[in-house]
Amino acid sequence: MDWERVKERLEAVLQLPMQIGLLPEADWQHLAEEQEENRESFSRSVMRGQDVLFYLSKEHKDIRILQVFGAKLTASERKLVEMTVESKQTQEKRQWGAFLSEDERKAHQLRDWLLQQMERGSTYAELPDALASQSSLYSTKIPLLLYGDYSQNQSVSYAELKKLLESFFESEIILIPLLEKEWLILAPEGLLTSGSEEREGDEEESVEQILDAFGSGLYEMLANEWVGECHLAIDYPVKPAKSLYATILKLRETIMLGRSFHVGSFIHLRWELRLEKLLHLIEEEEKAEFLEQVLRGTDHALDAETVTTLEHFFTLDCNVSETAKKLYIHRNTLLYRLDKFKNETGLDVRTFNHAVLVRLALLLYKVTKRK
């Protein structure tokens, strides 16, 4: 059944004129963004004037669409067309599945099992032995979750991405496609000790430092050689056979926390977001009350320059000299800024208690201000 036959069947059911055509990808993206702003809950169709356009497939730099002319479709009719289109797309994917490599076939089996657990709302689930053994998931792996900030219509090849990742890690990895734009990477634990001979004599790096370095290098490579910006979450090594599903949930939470509390950051390390996790669990009213008690109406003191200064000050353990170097300013200039903040808010971040309060307030202020 080709798209023309799908169109004919829908025309017969809805008694409306339709046409299959091509639309530049940039135009589709623009219409999709407008729809998102209007908070419409349709994921596979957009409005253009009085017409409704349904996404069929990606054709190079164009989108193949099904256009319903001047239609006043009800929400249920529009959903019916979307479901019909999705059914056809699923059928095509199954046909393509016959041509998948053995490696990709195993990855899709893992993906299907994981998605089943998500649909059930599971919080913990162990992999079946058959899946764990065929994909060698009994050995310890380094888990990384990759989320691509590319266009929803942009196609990403499993084989090409896996080849790129294995070239970076210089080792075989396991790659599992999850939801749209989301990929789980399982790298061998041996990467943590590889190259230790070269570091011999130097100060020993911690696991966190090694994983951070891997994350930074991987992000730079993906941003330059893949499809642009992406988000990367990293956790400690795990045994996937026992905790693969739980690990994915933790990595997703890590990306969510990183994107919420640290806009502009693209590498999210779970061990660096423990405080943010606690703050995220607090009710919105309590967050607002805490901010009011700490800042006491002096929100104006948190201008861009002050926020940047305080963030560097806390990152460098409240060390005045190191912070001044990092900001490329004179030590006295930094002290002037800290004194100015103290005079305006009554909070001296050079004291432990006030530093803790301001650190918490700063994190909460950033997320509540955006809301």
Side-chain angles (χ1 to χ4, degrees):
M1 182 174 67
D2 58 22
W3 286 118
E4 194 62 37
R5 291 183 62 188
V6 172
K7 177 183 81 72
E8 291 172 357
R9 289 180 58 184
L10 288 170
E11 282 180 325
V13 171
L14 298 176
Q15 294 296 301
L16 292 168
M18 302 181 187
Q19 175 179 297
I20 293 176
L22 294 175
L23 182 73
E25 182 180 3
D27 292 354
W28 174 274
Q29 189 64 29
H30 177 69
L31 293 170
E33 289 171 357
E34 286 184 347
Q35 175 174 282
E36 187 175 341
E37 289 176 2
N38 295 329
R39 299 186 178 179
E40 293 182 302
S41 58
F42 297 96
S43 58
R44 297 174 181 272
S45 61
V46 297
M47 291 290 298
R48 184 173 68 177
Q50 296 299 313
D51 300 341
V52 185
L53 312 182
F54 295 87
Y55 180 98
L56 301 183
S57 61
K58 179 82 162 35
E59 305 284 341
H60 302 292
K61 294 184 179 181
D62 295 319
I63 305 299
R64 184 170 295 280
I65 59 167
L66 173 65
Q67 183 173 3
V68 182
F69 294 101
K72 294 184 179 179
L73 292 175
T74 65
S76 59
E77 288 173 335
R78 190 168 168 182
K79 284 292 184 185
L80 172 64
V81 178
E82 285 194 349
M83 290 173 64
T84 303
V85 169
E86 185 177 5
S87 176
K88 172 67 165 65
Q89 291 168 336
T90 301
Q91 182 185 22
E92 287 186 337
K93 286 180 181 178
R94 286 174 180 168
Q95 291 172 345
W96 274 106
F99 303 98
L100 295 178
S101 66
E102 181 67 11
D103 185 50
E104 191 168 356
R105 184 188 64 79
K106 292 178 182 178
H108 278 256
Q109 287 182 336
L110 285 168
R111 187 271 308 276
D112 292 343
W113 180 85
L114 290 165
L115 293 183
Q116 285 177 6
Q117 309 313 309
M118 294 173 193
E119 289 173 2
R120 294 171 184 168
S122 305
T123 55
Y124 177 80
E126 286 190 18
L127 272 171
D129 288 339
L131 288 178
S133 58
Q134 76 170 6
S135 298
S136 303
L137 297 178
Y138 288 109
S139 59
T140 303
K141 308 287 185 184
I142 302 170
L144 306 96
L145 189 65
L146 172 63
Y147 180 83
D149 259 351
Y150 49 83
S151 164
Q152 64 179 6
N153 304 319
Q154 189 165 352
S155 177
V156 175
S157 164
Y158 172 92
E160 290 177 2
L161 178 57
K162 189 168 189 289
K163 182 179 179 180
L164 186 63
L165 291 170
E166 290 183 336
S167 173
F168 172 81
F169 285 114
E170 297 183 344
S171 177
E172 288 188 9
I173 58 102
I174 295 172
L175 178 65
I176 305 173
L178 296 173
L179 298 180
E180 188 179 8
K181 306 183 184 181
E182 187 181 47
W183 305 78
L184 178 69
I185 304 165
L186 297 174
E189 184 188 27
L191 291 171
L192 294 176
T193 55
S194 63
S196 58
E197 297 83 2
E198 299 175 9
R199 297 192 299 267
E200 196 171 319
D202 296 336
E203 185 178 343
E204 186 175 350
E205 290 182 296
S206 65
V207 171
E208 291 85 355
Q209 289 173 320
I210 297 173
L211 292 175
D212 189 359
F214 270 127
S216 298
L218 179 57
Y219 170 77
E220 290 297 330
M221 184 274 290
L222 289 170
N224 293 325
E225 299 186 33
W226 191 38
V227 288
E229 294 291 3
C230 60
H231 286 268
L232 193 65
I234 309 171
D235 203 352
Y236 293 108
V238 298
K239 291 187 180 296
K242 295 292 184 182
S243 59
L244 181 64
Y245 181 67
T247 298
I248 291 172
L249 297 183
K250 292 176 184 176
L251 288 169
R252 282 183 170 174
E253 179 186 56
T254 298
I255 286 184
M256 180 274 292
L257 292 171
R259 297 185 73 167
S260 298
F261 286 91
H262 302 287
V263 175
S265 295
F266 298 95
I267 305 169
H268 312 291
L269 310 174
R270 189 160 170 261
W271 53 89
E272 290 188 353
L273 294 167
R274 293 172 181 140
L275 183 57
E276 287 82 349
K277 180 178 179 178
L278 285 175
L279 295 178
H280 179 69
L281 298 174
I282 300 174
E283 296 290 338
E284 295 302 316
E285 290 183 4
E286 293 184 22
K287 291 177 183 176
E289 183 179 352
F290 177 84
L291 282 174
E292 179 60 31
Q293 291 174 347
V294 174
L295 297 177
R296 292 177 293 183
T298 60
D299 299 33
H300 63 275
L302 291 176
D303 56 70
E305 181 183 82
T306 301
V307 168
T308 300
T309 300
L310 292 173
E311 286 181 338
H312 279 86
F313 186 65
F314 294 138
T315 299
L316 295 168
D317 299 324
C318 302
N319 186 302
V320 173
S321 298
E322 291 301 318
T323 303
K325 289 180 183 178
K326 185 71 175 180
L327 292 171
Y328 299 102
I329 60 176
H330 193 276
R331 175 188 172 93
N332 290 341
T333 302
L334 174 60
L335 292 175
Y336 169 78
R337 292 182 185 178
L338 298 181
D339 285 335
K340 181 173 179 284
F341 182 75
K342 176 184 175 182
N343 293 334
E344 292 180 340
T345 64
L347 297 165
D348 186 353
V349 293
R350 286 163 291 190
T351 65
F352 177 76
N353 287 338
H354 284 185
V356 171
L357 288 175
V358 175
R359 171 78 170 119
L360 294 174
L362 200 57
L363 285 172
L364 291 176
Y365 181 74
K366 288 192 291 184
V367 292
T368 55
K369 181 181 179 183
R370 286 199 301 274
K371 294 178 181 177

